[in-house]
Amino acid sequence: PGAYLRVIAEGQVSAGDPITVLSRPEHGLTVRETFRAMTGDRSLAAKLLTASELPERIRADARGWLAG
């Protein structure tokens, strides 16, 4: 797992070219933590619920894990 990027304009990109982060979610949940949660680390369930950007199915799973 890694960062997800969006292409705004097609063009050439070369090694060393700058990449600018235009926005970053405030929840702080990383792709790594999401992957860990979805592959068994249920201690991260509450943190999944802080990310409204996640699909509802994943958030529903997290609510279920917390409910026991």
Side-chain angles (χ1 to χ4, degrees):
Y4 290 92
L5 306 173
R6 182 178 108 183
V7 175
I8 296 174
E10 291 185 35
Q12 297 292 321
V13 177
S14 300
D17 286 351
I19 296 176
T20 303
V21 176
L22 299 177
S23 67
R24 184 173 305 210
E26 292 190 23
H27 53 67
L29 180 69
T30 66
V31 173
R32 179 181 183 195
E33 290 170 323
T34 303
F35 182 79
R36 283 181 36 215
M38 297 308 298
T39 57
D41 187 348
R42 302 305 187 235
S43 70
L44 293 165
K47 196 163 185 182
L48 290 178
L49 295 177
T50 67
S52 61
E53 296 85 354
L54 288 175
E56 178 53 34
R57 180 190 63 78
I58 291 175
R59 293 165 48 80
D61 286 347
R63 284 191 293 273
W65 301 332
L66 290 170

